[in-house]
Amino acid sequence: MKRLQTYTAPGITVTFDPNLCSHSAVCLRTLPQVFDVRRRRWVAPEAASVDEVVAAVERCPSGALQCVRE
């Protein structure tokens, strides 16, 4: 089982559960400046507004991405 990944930026924490991911790439297409698998830290929530990140995370069809506003 793979571990839960956590990414924090001012105002938001995004978590990714690779065990749930269906690899639909909705996140990559929705907000590529935040979600980019070519980077070592592939989720950069500071690269967009909190509202934009929340909207992208809500589109995740598998629920692998979750977020909490702070």
Side-chain angles (χ1 to χ4, degrees), residues 6 10 13 48 68 70:
T6 303
T13 297
V68 176
E70 296 172 2

Side-chain angles (χ1 to χ4, degrees), residues 17-54:
D17 186 341
N19 302 296
L20 297 178
C21 185
S22 64
H23 303 286
S24 64
V26 170
C27 57
L28 304 177
R29 290 189 304 275
T30 302
L31 209 53
Q33 68 269 34
V34 172
F35 303 98
D36 185 349
V37 294
R38 295 171 294 180
R39 290 189 308 246
R40 175 78 174 121
R41 183 174 170 262
W42 79 278
V43 179
E46 68 279 356
S49 73
V50 171
D51 289 338
E52 289 172 313
V53 174
V54 169

